[in-house]
Amino acid sequence: MSELVRVERVNGVAVVAVNNPQVNALSAGVPEAIGAAIAGAEADPAVRAIVLMGAGKTFIAGADIKQLEDMAWGRGSAAPELHGLLQEIEDCSKPVVMAIHGTALGGGLEVAMAGHYRVAAADAQMGQPEVNLGIIPGAEGTQRLPRLVGIEKAIEMCVSGKPMKAKEGLAAGLLDALVEGDFKQAAVNFAEAVAKRGGPHPKTRGRKAELRTSGTLEEALAAGRALAAKIKRNQAAPMKAIEAIQAAATMPYEEGCTRERQLFQESVASEQCRALIHMFFAERAAGRIPGVSKDTPVLAVGQVGIIGAGTMGGGIAMACANAGISVLLKDTERKAVDAGMATIRKNYEVSVQRGRFTPEAVAERIGRIHPQTDYAGFESVDLVIEAVFENLELKKKVFQEMVKMAKPGAVLASNTSTLSIDEIASVTPRPESVIGMHFFSPANVMRLLEIVKGKGTSAATVATALGVAKKIGKVGVVVGNCEGFVGNRMMFPYMYEAQFMVEEGATPEQVDRALTRFGWAMGIFEVDDMAGLDVAWRIRKELGHFTEPGARRPLVADQLCEMGRYGQKTGRGWYVYGEDRKPKPDPEVLDLIRKAAKEADIAQKEFREEDIVERALYGLINEGAKILEEGCALRASDIDVVYLNGYGFPAWRGGPMFYADTVGLPSVYERIRQFEKDLGQRWKPANLLRKLAEERKSFREYDAEREG
Ligand code: 3H9
């Protein structure tokens, strides 16, 4: 018997444990080994029932995504052929009990649904997350799931990709029991009981009654499509999943499976699938840092000190409290701390209203946050995060205090979005402990955490920051200490090109419409209004943008700030905002733009949507290539992770650098050269972009060569 599956006998029950670390994926050989183990147990007269479970920390987490990636890129691999295996399991003459702990995802849940019974540990989760990879369930998940949980729930699970918790799974009909205590023994006990009770044991594919909806099938499908359009805008796979579920409801089982297979094959061959699989591995690659290994010492952070109870400090406190970390939240004055706590309470109230948390869970979280005006207790925390106003002198002063109060070895982090970590570290005697932890607003919601490594930052400090990121549910991306780090540095050329286009004849809403149609969550003018125009204004001054002789400078943004039009918070910015807080075009702003353009003698022209997208995005991509070339980002894929998780770039386009690859770097480079000729020096192409274009390589190939 292959090592991929271990079989043991507990009384009259054969326990088959899938053993393919790290997550028991259905890699080549695993389905065959499961099939052989089941067949062996069925043939063994001493076996009365079979339990299938996962060895290690989880049940089966799905098909091997490396194999799917090969398929998506046409590299010859095929999806695991599970049809035969699932039928054999379901047709087994002895009861097969699927015992789920950890996660049963994708192909893992599909295997589980072929069993006659399913039991799970209380903290187990089950889901069909294939849409997150741009595909649909390909091993009859769209056919068996609705037969267990009904059409509506199946649509919801396959469209959202979100896993279901065990308790909900039991209520929905996906599970037969939750088990407690010794997991394996409990599953064996269950298997012995069903074997004793005798057959016939239920086959999921034979069920019909659950192919139900609360209204008509058409209504359920329409609701599913509306959900897909809302939460997975522009994505093809969720719509295909609904089509496959429709087949389950309207066709005999085998025909439904054939339809599912066709739709699966279509989705796996798509650009969206390649982009989303790229992002799956990009997020995991971001955690691999040269010089940081499993042996690097990491502080197990159980308590955090946060300095500054404003928007950022409060959001960071909530992110930590949500993850069970206790927080000392300090500000200089009682009024400031009280205001911070009031905002935190208000935010949590909204979560309760939306059903995200129970009032008890909120009380527990708030109880973990301790407001204070002094440094009491800071001597025992492992991590201090400074989140005061974005001003270098102020931050230096706070760091001088922090280093005195914190215990030796504690990590000292700054939430700066633009300032130099090396400058900040220079006022402390231990730069090895200083690091940037740049959260994105709202910090309790946004997944991105830019981890800024200064020149003195130690590997242990980086490892601790990455560990905290994971613990609080963020994607940590380690970046270098360049101006604006990765995200904001790239944002500026993107934002300025948008403003220049407006001066040349486009309107803010036209630009925003083009960008949101491309897939961005929001247009850049709307983003600017949300972040506050004063924020970018201050950074422009601080970083000395446009000081080069002859540099073109946007004409309107400063004027809007001087008029007190800071965006949403003042009700006016690039747009005007009413009660509903929705942006509306403001003729006053258009007049201002046209007047400024006339005075500066800027020629006016018509912009097509594709011109807008190209110019804005190529500004972003060219800066990304410069960042990569300077080593400020370790990989092109890290930049993609930053843009997806912090800036609302569409996941199904795979991030800006991946998008550039799909256009082709030679064309991107040629277009940027043309922009340089037409629009000037600021469009000088990055050397790395030129080099890759000349070698006809992609950013993905660049990353792969460097990873070795
Ligand atoms: C599918 O099943 C299609 C079917 O319908 C059948 C079609 C015929 N394959 O995330 P982590 C690796 S589609 C290969 O850090 P965690 C991962 O890259 C699939 N590798 O751990 C990482 O490697 P490394 C549906 C996988 O504890 C390591 O395992 N299933 C796979 O935070 C640890 O991962 C999914 O979409 C895989 N399936 O989270 C599930 N999964 O250390 C995707 C993980 O070298 N996976 N790896 O970087 C997950 O959601 C999380 O990994 C999981 C564990 C929750 C399981």
Side-chain angles (χ1 to χ4, degrees), residues 22-23 57 61-65 107 110 130 137-138 284 288 470:
Q22 306 182 45
V23 296
K57 64 176 185 181
D64 187 334
I65 301 172
E110 289 170 308
E130 285 87 344
R284 279 141 188 100
R288 286 196 287 272
K470 181 141 195 176

Side-chain angles (χ1 to χ4, degrees), residues 22-23 25 57 61-66 68 79-80 82 103 105-108 110 128-130 133 135-139 264 280-281 284 288 470:
Q22 306 182 45
V23 296
K57 64 176 185 181
D64 187 334
I65 301 172
K66 281 266 169 236
L68 295 172
L82 299 178
T103 50
L105 298 175
E110 289 170 308
Q128 300 284 179
E130 285 87 344
L133 302 170
I135 55 174
I136 69 163
F264 173 82
F280 177 83
F281 287 116
R284 279 141 188 100
R288 286 196 287 272
K470 181 141 195 176

Side-chain angles (χ1 to χ4, degrees), residues 244-315:
I245 293 172
Q246 181 176 13
T250 53
M251 292 175 174
Y253 188 80
E254 285 295 332
E255 280 177 40
C257 291
T258 307
R259 184 72 193 119
E260 182 198 76
R261 221 162 305 143
Q262 283 165 350
L263 291 161
F264 173 82
Q265 291 295 349
E266 282 170 27
S267 60
V268 83
S270 68
E271 189 81 67
Q272 294 195 353
C273 172
R274 285 192 285 279
L276 287 160
I277 289 184
H278 164 77
M279 286 318 306
F280 177 83
F281 287 116
E283 279 194 7
R284 279 141 188 100
R288 286 196 287 272
I289 309 301
V292 176
S293 72
K294 285 202 168 72
D295 304 327
T296 308
V298 181
L299 295 178
V301 175
Q303 195 179 32
V304 171
I306 298 175
I307 302 173
T311 310
M312 289 314 292

